[in-house]
Every structure is written in C-alpha cells, then in structure tokens.
C-alpha cells in the first residue's frame, strides 16, 4: 500500500512542474518594443493635442512606457512579474531623464564651441580686440584658471587631508563634533559668501585684486569637499590593517602615513579632483576679487586676472554673434579641462592603488 502511494506522488507532481516550466514569459525584446510603442504614442498624443515642445512629448512617452510595460506584463505573465517590470521601468525612465539633459548640454556645447575653437583661439588673448568683433582668444583666461585653481588646490588639499585624518584617526569628543558641524555648514555656503569674506580681508589689509585673492576664496569652497570625501575614504580602510601595523610596534603616525593613506589614495585623489571640478566653474569670487582682464597676466600675486568662467560671462554679456561663439568655445574648453582632470585622477588612483596578489 505504501509503495502504491509513493509511486503516485511523482505522477501527481509532474503536471504542476510542467505547468510552471511552460508559463508564459515576455520576450527579451519586449522592453525595446514597449519603448518604441511609447515613443510613437507620445508623438501622436503631442501632435494631436497641439503640444509643440518635444520635452512634453518625451515626458508623455516616458509615462506611457511605464503604463504599457505594466499592463502588458500583467496580461501576459502575472501580477508579481508586473510589479517587478514596473519598478524596472521607473528606474530606466529616471536614468533617461537624468542622461538626456547631460547629453543635450554636451551636444549643444560641442556644436556651438567648435566654430572658433582652434589653435589661434587657445594661444591668443582679447587684448586689442573689441568684444563685438571677430577674433581674440582665451589664452589669458586659461592661464588664470590654471593658476587660481592650482593655488587653491595647494592651500586646500593639505588642510582638507589633515582635517580628515584628525576626524577619523584622532577625533573624539566635542572638538571633533564641532569640526564636523562646521565642515557640513561650509559645504553648503554660496560662493559669493566666500568671496565677500576674502574681500573684507582685502579691504582691512589694503590688498589689491589678484589671482591669489580669488584662489583663497576658491580654497574656502574646496576644503569641505576634500574633508568629506577623504574622511569617507579613510573610514573604508579596514581596521585590521591598522591593528596589524600597530601590533608590530609601528608608531601611529607612521601607520597613517605608510598604511592608511596609501590604501585610500585612490579615493582621496578622486575626491580632490571632484573638489577641483566644483571650484573650476565659479564666477562670483573671481568677479569680486580678481576683477578680470583682457591682457595676459601670468603673475597671480599681482594685478587683475581673468578665468574661464569669468571670460564666458564677459563674452555673453557683450551680446554679439562673435562673442557668443567665443563664450561657447570657452565653455567647451572648461568642460575639456574638467574631463582631463578626471582622467588624470583615475590614472593616479590606478597607479597608486595597493597591489594585490593572486
């Protein structure tokens, strides 16, 4: 009797197993098909309702993509798979909404900037060239940006690194909490506030505008970003590495210098590069403290200087077709400058990363 029952169990389970394997599934090309149908419907709805903005068409298509995906998956598969498809569709829509403006910005900048971007533009200044006339270049602004950002990095990177080391390795009690609080507050201060702070010091001390003054304001904006990013990277270093070095009798300062910082150097370098990208496009402190100049000034410690953001604002303010072209070309140079810095940061991070054995 028991053998009969045992023989019957596999026969009863077989239909259920067969049914689960033969359940209906959406094809792999279904998301692409949903996207195509949604785009077509979005365009149709936009044209039928008289909407002229393609952005509105895209938003309608994005909403229809989520709805169509959910309804089709519910009809073909089941409610659980439909909810999963709904979440996936929302993620894809958010990704597209984030990428499209970025790609649009890059496309417009490149298409408008390449009109005058050449060797002459990069090696000449605006000295003697009227703003509404064709000609001139960005050399003086490029030199100013490199010097001001470089000085700001020399000031802020050591301060930010040492502050982060203190907070992670030594900071305890009220002082560490106060430092963390003020770093958080400094992270959100507007650039004009940093510029006004340095301007007040200039007025009290009787100092003249120069690239150094602008670099000090940029350093104020850069320090909290360096502190925060470096602090997070140092926290990721395993405590076992510190304990192993300390167990060998190595002093703590040497452990930090030879073990902790080299282990996190990749993330620290990336954080510094992000901070440089944060300040490279600031205009307000330069307007207050550097004043701008159409002449080439390679001395950041004396005299007015220009910078790429100030140059873009200055050329756009002129309002002529030639000045607009120069402004877009300078914007393209600024984007390329930030991109090169990020590539350099990745190279340094890979070069200085700890070697791992197999």
């Amino acid at each position: 009797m028991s053998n009969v029952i045992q023989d019957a169990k596999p026969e009863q389970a077989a239909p259920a197993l067969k049914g689960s394997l033969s359940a209906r599934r959406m094809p792999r090309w279904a998301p692409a098909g949903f996207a195509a149908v949604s785009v077509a419907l979005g365009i149709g709805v936009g044209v039928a309702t008289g909407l002229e903005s393609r952005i509105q068409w895209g938003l309608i298509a994005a909403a229809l993509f989520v709805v169509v995906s959910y309804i089709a998956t519910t009809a073909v598969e089941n409610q659980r798979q439909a909810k999963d498809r709904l979440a996936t569709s929302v993620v894809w829509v958010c990704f597209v909404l984030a990428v499209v403006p970025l790609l649009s910005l890059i496309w417009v900048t490149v298409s408008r900037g390449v009109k005058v971007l050449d060797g002459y533009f990069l090696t000449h200044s605006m000295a003697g060239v009227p703003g509404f006339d064709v000609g001139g270049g960005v050399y003086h602004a490029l030199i100013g940006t490199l010097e001001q950002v470089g000085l700001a990095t020399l000031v802020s990177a050591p301060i930010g690194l040492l502050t982060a080391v203190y907070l992670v390795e030594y900071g305890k009690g009220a002082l560490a909490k106060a430092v963390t609080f003020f770093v958080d507050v400094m992270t959100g201060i507007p650039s004009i506030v940093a510029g006004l702070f340095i301007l007040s010091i200039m007025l009290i001390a009787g100092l003249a505008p120069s690239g150094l003054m602008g670099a000090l304001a940029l350093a104020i904006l850069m320090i909290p970003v360096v502190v925060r990013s470096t602090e997070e990277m140092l926290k990721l270093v395993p405590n076992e590495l510190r304990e192993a070095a300390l167990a060998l009798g190595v002093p703590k300062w040497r452990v930090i210098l030879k073990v902790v910082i080299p282990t996190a150097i990749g993330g620290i370098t990336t954080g510094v590069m992000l901070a440089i990208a944060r300040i490279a496009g600031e205009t307000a402190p330069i307007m207050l403290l550097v004043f701008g100049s159409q002449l080439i000034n390679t001395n950041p410690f004396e005299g007015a200087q220009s910078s790429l953001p100030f140059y873009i604002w200055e050329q756009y303010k002129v309002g002529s077709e030639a000045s607009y072209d120069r402004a877009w070309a300078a914007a393209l140079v600024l984007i390329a400058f930030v991109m090169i810095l990020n590539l350099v940061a990745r190279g340094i991070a890979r070069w200085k990363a700890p070697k791992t054995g197999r």
Side-chain angles (χ1 to χ4, degrees):
M1 188 67 176
S2 60
N3 294 334
V4 174
I5 296 176
Q6 292 176 358
D7 294 339
K9 288 182 180 180
E11 296 177 358
Q12 295 174 358
L17 179 61
K18 182 179 180 180
S20 63
L21 293 176
S22 61
R24 293 182 296 177
R25 298 287 183 183
M26 299 291 294
R28 292 185 176 181
W29 50 264
F34 295 154
V37 172
S38 301
V39 170
L41 291 176
I43 295 174
V45 172
V47 173
T49 55
L51 299 176
E52 299 181 356
S53 175
R54 295 183 180 180
I55 297 178
Q56 295 174 327
W57 297 3
L59 294 176
I60 294 173
L64 289 174
F65 174 73
V66 176
V67 174
V68 170
S69 300
Y70 180 76
I71 294 176
T73 307
T74 302
V76 174
E77 297 183 0
N78 52 56
Q79 191 69 22
R80 183 176 65 84
Q81 294 295 335
K83 292 180 179 179
D84 179 76
R85 181 80 66 177
L86 175 64
T88 304
S89 301
V90 171
V91 170
W92 273 105
V93 168
C94 293
F95 170 75
V96 172
L97 292 178
V99 169
V100 167
L102 177 61
L103 295 178
S104 175
L105 174 63
I106 295 176
W107 171 257
V108 172
T109 305
V110 172
S111 61
R112 296 288 299 272
V114 295
K115 293 181 180 180
V116 297
L117 183 60
D118 52 17
Y120 179 87
F121 181 77
L122 295 175
T123 56
H124 287 75
S125 67
M126 291 297 296
V129 180
F132 53 83
D133 201 357
V134 178
V138 76
Y139 180 74
H140 62 299
L142 183 59
I143 291 297
T145 294
L146 291 174
E147 292 181 347
Q148 293 158 24
V149 171
L151 289 174
T153 304
L154 290 177
V155 172
S156 60
I159 295 176
L161 176 61
L162 294 176
T163 303
V165 169
Y166 166 75
L167 292 176
V168 175
E169 303 294 337
Y170 299 99
K172 294 180 181 179
L175 180 59
K177 293 180 180 178
V179 172
T180 302
F181 173 76
F182 284 111
V183 168
D184 292 337
V185 172
M186 290 178 62
T187 304
I189 63 173
S191 60
I192 190 67
V193 176
L196 289 173
F197 174 71
I198 300 298
L199 179 61
S200 64
I201 296 178
M202 287 176 54
L203 295 176
I204 295 173
L207 301 175
S210 63
L212 177 62
M213 298 297 104
L216 293 177
L218 296 179
I220 294 175
L221 301 174
M222 189 175 174
I223 287 174
V225 181
V226 176
V227 172
R228 269 283 166 243
S229 59
T230 304
E231 183 181 3
E232 295 302 323
M233 291 301 103
L234 294 178
K235 288 180 179 178
L236 294 177
V237 178
N239 285 327
E240 288 77 6
L241 295 178
R242 299 180 177 89
E243 294 172 354
L246 292 172
L248 295 175
V250 181
K252 188 171 184 178
W253 68 269
R254 196 171 182 84
V255 173
I256 296 172
L257 188 62
K258 295 294 185 178
V259 177
V260 177
I261 293 180
T263 303
I265 191 62
I268 294 173
T269 305
T270 303
V272 172
M273 293 299 109
L274 290 175
I276 293 176
R278 156 81 166 86
I279 66 172
E282 293 294 344
T283 310
I286 308 303
M287 295 172 62
L288 285 174
L289 307 171
V290 188
F291 279 16
S293 175
Q294 295 185 351
L295 303 177
I296 299 174
N297 180 12
T298 58
N299 184 6
F301 303 99
E302 183 179 359
Q305 271 190 327
S306 185
S307 68
L308 288 174
F310 184 87
Y311 179 88
I312 295 170
W313 171 80
E314 187 179 42
Q315 294 301 315
Y316 186 81
K317 185 180 64 173
V318 173
S320 66
E321 188 66 25
S323 66
Y324 287 156
D325 291 339
R326 287 192 294 265
W328 282 108
L332 182 57
V333 172
L334 183 59
I335 292 176
F337 173 71
V338 175
M339 183 178 67
I340 292 172
L341 285 178
N342 281 274
L343 293 176
V344 171
R346 290 179 180 272
I348 295 175
R350 181 172 296 183
W351 175 44
K352 290 294 186 178
K355 302 299 185 295
T356 56
R358 294 183 178 179

